[in-house]
Amino acid sequence: MVVKRMARVGAKKRTFYSNVVDEKSLAPRGRYIERLGFYNPRATENEEKLRLDRDRIEYWVGKGAKLSDSVATLYKKQAA
């Protein structure tokens, strides 16, 4: 099954997450199908905190991909 989830790519104590489309049976830090954005929880006021490609997310959901709980929360937060 294809799933949309966050993959941690930041350094120690400097977290940064890529939002990726991935095969559920593979490890979260393995190879992914497509990168659809990022989430930076440690962003300052002048840095971008969240970027999601909504068109590509809707495309993958239309193909049957599931959103993880954390990605679904971020997706709703960006829509508001």
Side-chain angles (χ1 to χ4, degrees):
M1 176 191 334
V2 177
V3 66
K4 170 91 174 63
R5 62 180 165 194
M6 296 191 330
R8 187 177 193 275
V9 293
K12 184 177 179 181
K13 296 189 179 183
R14 293 184 48 99
T15 56
F16 188 87
Y17 299 95
S18 289
N19 293 305
V20 297
V21 175
D22 202 359
E23 188 66 36
K24 187 171 184 173
S25 61
L26 299 176
R29 295 181 191 207
R31 293 174 24 191
Y32 54 85
I33 299 170
E34 184 178 358
R35 183 172 184 251
L36 300 176
F38 66 86
Y39 172 60
N40 184 4
R42 299 180 57 92
T44 60
E45 292 178 12
N46 57 352
E47 293 178 342
E48 191 173 9
K49 187 169 187 152
L50 174 66
R51 182 186 309 159
L52 296 174
D53 187 354
R54 297 183 68 79
D55 295 334
R56 293 302 294 170
I57 291 172
E58 291 170 9
Y59 166 80
W60 281 105
V61 169
K63 291 281 187 178
K66 304 281 185 188
L67 296 177
S68 68
D69 294 337
S70 55
V71 173
T73 302
L74 291 173
Y75 187 73
K76 291 176 186 175
K77 183 186 233 183
Q78 187 187 34

